[in-house]
Amino acid sequence: MEIRAGLGYDIHRLEEGRRLFLGGVEIEFGRGLSGHSDGDCLIHAIIDALLGAVGMEDIGQHFPDSDPRYKDVRSTELLKKVVGLMRERKMEIVNVDSIVIAEEPKLGPYIPQMKKTLGPILGVRQDDLGIKAKTNEGMGAIGEGEAIAAWAQVLVRKIK
Ligand code: MG
């Protein structure tokens, strides 16, 4: 059985007056992540991990920020497209693990909802989808609340 791993990372600046989306869930915060899309850096990290695992080009090549079709697009829609591309290549996801690094807001209470939102799109059970939230201990741009970052690791396999 062919098994492949993928790694993804993303970081977006926090901006006043934008809605905050993380893991496909809207979070009340007063500031949101900048970007051409909804700025959901957790989903973007997962997308890059998936694309990397199957040997495709990265998220910027698939969904360029010069393309008006992706202006303010929900990242859940981008993720659905990528999972579709993987299925065309007869690949399915074994598991996903991820970390979101944000000083604020407290993300722990939103993790169950993120898993409920992303699990069905990815086609994995809740047990096969890890989402962990950490702070940056007050250090650097993330620690000062200027940005939120995310890491994701995936394992995919060929569908028999
Ligand atoms: Mg991004």
Side-chain angles (χ1 to χ4, degrees):
M1 189 191 313
E2 190 184 341
I3 296 235
R4 298 171 67 106
L7 178 66
Y9 168 79
D10 197 21
I11 183 165
H12 281 241
R13 286 176 189 277
L14 277 164
E15 235 176 57
E16 294 291 334
R18 279 206 30 121
R19 293 159 74 193
L20 177 61
F21 294 96
L22 277 171
V25 173
E26 182 163 11
I27 295 167
E28 287 299 329
F29 185 47
R31 289 190 295 156
L33 295 170
S34 67
H36 187 62
S37 67
D38 64 7
D40 191 326
C41 61
L42 172 55
I43 291 185
H44 296 178
I46 293 171
I47 286 175
D48 259 351
L50 292 170
L51 291 170
V54 297
M56 285 193 272
E57 289 185 293
D58 73 6
I59 187 170
Q61 299 295 320
H62 282 269
F63 311 110
D65 60 10
S66 53
D67 190 331
R69 279 180 301 169
Y70 304 124
K71 176 92 185 101
D72 294 326
V73 71
R74 289 294 308 274
S75 296
T76 43
E77 296 308 309
L78 305 181
L79 182 60
K80 284 175 196 169
K81 281 190 209 280
V82 168
V83 172
L85 289 173
M86 293 180 56
R87 297 228 164 98
E88 284 172 18
R89 284 166 172 73
K90 301 274 181 285
M91 301 296 281
E92 67 179 4
I93 298 162
V94 178
N95 78 308
V96 175
D97 197 14
S98 64
I99 305 168
V100 187
I101 312 162
E103 210 64 24
E104 288 185 302
K106 279 254 172 294
L107 298 176
Y110 296 96
I111 289 176
Q113 207 184 332
M114 292 179 193
K115 291 174 89 168
K116 267 189 206 135
T117 303
L118 299 184
I121 299 174
L122 295 164
V124 298
R125 298 173 313 162
Q126 306 288 293
D127 289 355
D128 296 323
L129 172 55
I131 302 175
K132 303 178 293 290
K134 309 194 87 70
T135 72
N136 215 39
E137 294 281 334
M139 296 179 288
I142 296 171
E144 280 159 23
E146 290 173 33
I148 293 178
W151 289 92
Q153 188 168 39
V154 304
L155 210 58
V156 304
R157 72 178 155 218
K158 202 99 184 161
I159 298 166
K160 287 204 183 118

